[in-house]
Amino acid sequence: MYEIDDAQLVSCTTNGSVYAVDHRIYIDEELYRQEQSNIFGRLWVLVGLESEIPNPGSFKTTYVGERPVIVLRDEKSAIRVFENVCVHRGAKLVRKNCGTAKSLTCLYHQWNYALDGRLIGVPMPSGFPASFKKEDFRLSELPRVAVLAGLIFAAYDKTLPSLEEYLSGVVPLIKEVLRDGEIELLGYANHRVKANWKLFVENTVDGYHPALLHKPIQSNRMQASYRPRAGGTCIAFVNGHNVLKFPTTVVDEKTWDPALDLPSLLCKSRDGGWDYVMNLFPNAMLLLLGDMLLVRQLIPRGVSAVDVIAYDLAYKDDSEDIKRHRARTVGTQLGTAGVASVDDKYAMEAIQQASSCSYRKTLLLRGDPEARDGDSNEEFSLRGLYEAWGRALGILNKGGIPAQSQQII
Ligand code: FES
Ligand SMILES: [Fe+2]
């Protein structure tokens, strides 16, 4: 039934459902360059949290794809996103990770910019021709900035629909999990994975692997068998976004072996409910797993590496004890040296390392190939991801695939 065609980067059934991708998409420099323009240089991309820049003059620096950007609040408290480049000779303008400033000054020839991007200061002005006017120059600004539940997104494409239209059906879940932005940033847990950025997205929304890849370490730590989570669902939304949803695992603290001193999956803040893993294409993830609440921002670092910025969160009204517990749990599970992170890193890097083999297919066959949702350990989410990716790069023909409302890519 499935013909694996070596020429195809993305293989689809007759109605456009993806069932295989070629490993060239993890190693090809030209595809990577196209992703930078057609995906990161166009779509809504996560750049940080509102609470990172609380006051007029607060700024942070980060990246949209490979392009360095400054995210700041101007004097009127409006959030702006500028390319982090001086308009004179193109030096990176701000080199700190974050801070507060009244204006921005380039280190090289000290051209100076107001927080709204205007060029306001040029040293040794008498040496410039009479036709040179500061008012003709300003920082390169991304035309679109939007905030949703405390998350800041920016986009290069002026014509893109609103952020909420782009995120479509995932919006209510984002608002629910982030309580409309009533969140507090506890800290960061950043790490680099030597794998293509799409492998990180795949891994995050891959509900098939947790009970298998993570089984040894989880069994040790929980001193119990670790089984696939039952009762979960996986939904592929339009535009490459996905949600995995499953019942929260609640472990009774009284049954814990204190000698282990490992909080692992112990859930203290709630008695049940749902866990969520969301992928907001292309570079954002929102996870609520037991007491772990975190947002991830991906920054591609060349075709075979990705930086993962993990924002470790709590709810504003959490007790100090719960905040500590959330931070500790993230640290042991999903932080830089968290047990799940290390397992996942090995798996992603294993794919990257084998990507140049003559056999080079990733098969995405679990679950009904024509469905958009199903059990959380099936592969709907990955198929939806690659449908959007293929469309964004013009590899998949939009005409052959039934259009869905709010479909942008
Ligand atoms: S490069 Fe920035 S002032 Fe010259
Ligand atoms: Fe994992």
Side-chain angles (χ1 to χ4, degrees):
M1 175 182 176
Y2 298 104
E3 286 192 22
I4 302 301
D5 178 351
D6 265 356
Q8 297 292 325
L9 289 172
V10 179
S11 305
C12 299
T13 60
T14 44
N15 82 348
S17 179
V18 172
Y19 63 85
V21 295
D22 190 290
H23 285 185
R24 282 175 290 167
I25 71 169
Y26 308 133
I27 56 175
D28 187 283
E29 297 282 352
E30 173 57 21
L31 287 171
Y32 180 76
R33 196 191 58 71
Q34 289 175 26
E35 288 172 345
Q36 292 303 311
S37 56
N38 295 10
I39 294 176
F40 294 98
R42 178 178 171 233
L43 302 174
W44 286 106
V45 169
L46 179 74
V47 292
L49 303 186
E50 217 178 0
S51 60
E52 291 180 288
I53 48 167
N55 304 310
S58 303
F59 67 84
K60 66 168 281 189
T61 54
T62 184
Y63 292 82
V64 171
E66 290 208 328
R67 294 175 181 160
V69 296
I70 310 159
V71 183
L72 61 70
R73 268 187 208 272
D74 69 15
E75 280 163 358
K76 294 179 180 156
S77 221
I79 298 175
R80 293 174 180 264
V81 179
F82 298 105
E83 291 194 304
N84 193 358
V85 57
C86 173
V87 302
H88 177 219
R89 295 250 291 277
K92 189 171 175 182
L93 180 61
V94 178
R95 287 162 300 139
K96 287 184 179 171
N97 289 337
C98 59
T100 306
K102 289 195 163 51
S103 65
L104 307 174
T105 304
C106 179
L107 89 164
Y108 204 171
H109 312 92
Q110 296 175 17
W111 284 26
N112 177 249
Y113 303 88
L115 297 176
D116 62 5
R118 283 175 299 123
L119 176 63
I120 52 173
V122 174
M124 304 184 200
S126 59
F128 289 87
S131 58
F132 173 76
K133 292 195 175 55
K134 292 196 293 285
E135 303 75 54
D136 290 342
F137 298 91
R138 54 183 299 121
L139 294 175
S140 166
E141 184 166 7
L142 275 71
R144 306 294 298 277
V145 177
V147 175
L148 177 67
L151 307 181
I152 307 172
F153 292 80
Y156 274 94
D157 187 345
K158 283 193 189 76
T159 67
L160 217 54
S162 72
L163 175 66
E164 296 211 8
E165 282 175 85
Y166 175 66
L167 295 172
S168 67
V170 198
V171 170
L173 296 174
I174 298 169
K175 289 183 175 173
E176 179 188 327
V177 168
L178 292 178
R179 297 188 185 166
D180 284 321
E182 290 299 303
I183 47 172
E184 181 181 324
L185 177 62
L186 300 176
Y188 303 90
N190 307 338
H191 65 292
R192 178 165 294 185
V193 178
K194 290 180 187 161
N196 183 269
W197 66 276
K198 296 184 293 299
L199 287 169
F200 198 95
V201 182
E202 280 186 26
N203 173 267
T204 299
V205 291
D206 169 12
Y208 184 24
H209 83 278
L212 303 165
L213 174 70
H214 302 307
K215 184 176 180 179
I217 194 81
Q218 299 291 5
S219 302
N220 271 348
R221 291 203 159 196
M222 295 185 73
Q223 302 245 302
S225 60
Y226 187 67
R227 291 180 298 277
R229 297 202 191 209
T233 56
C234 160
I235 308 163
F237 286 90
V238 291
N239 304 325
H241 315 307
N242 328 106
V243 174
L244 268 60
K245 172 181 176 180
F246 30 81
T248 302
T249 305
V250 179
V251 182
D252 186 350
E253 198 168 2
K254 294 187 205 73
T255 66
W256 209 258
D257 177 355
L260 290 171
D261 191 29
L262 295 167
S264 194
L265 300 179
L266 181 63
C267 184
K268 291 171 74 163
S269 68
R270 52 198 177 128
D271 295 330
W274 296 93
D275 282 359
Y276 291 96
V277 175
M278 301 181 206
N279 160 44
L280 313 176
F281 186 76
N283 83 323
M285 285 142 201
L286 170 55
L287 296 93
L288 175 65
L289 294 166
D291 289 335
M292 295 183 279
L293 176 63
L294 69 161
V295 166
R296 286 169 167 170
Q297 174 192 354
L298 300 187
I299 301 174
R301 296 293 192 188
V303 71
S304 56
V306 60
D307 279 350
V308 184
I309 313 296
Y311 301 84
D312 187 1
L313 304 174
Y315 295 117
K316 279 186 181 164
D317 61 2
D318 281 339
S319 68
E320 288 306 310
D321 178 53
I322 290 295
K323 285 178 187 169
R324 262 195 308 277
H325 180 69
R326 288 191 196 280
R328 189 176 182 217
T329 313
V330 168
T332 59
Q333 294 291 307
L334 296 177
T336 307
V339 288
S341 298
V342 174
D343 287 346
D344 289 331
K345 182 173 152 69
Y346 273 113
M348 289 178 253
E349 292 182 355
I351 295 175
Q352 192 72 30
Q353 287 159 15
S355 292
S356 57
C357 290
S358 64
Y359 177 83
R360 54 182 198 227
K361 292 294 177 189
T362 281
L363 302 178
L364 305 170
L365 299 173
R366 287 178 63 78
D368 177 355
E370 313 304 347
R372 304 295 304 176
D373 56 47
D375 192 275
S376 62
N377 64 34
E378 293 172 347
E379 289 170 331
F380 305 99
S381 51
L382 285 82
R383 289 198 283 271
L385 163 70
Y386 283 115
E387 283 172 28
W389 179 86
R391 286 175 187 174
L393 265 57
I395 292 166
L396 290 184
N397 176 5
K398 274 188 190 173
I401 300 171
Q404 300 169 62
S405 64
Q406 295 179 301
Q407 184 174 304
I408 290 154
I409 49 175

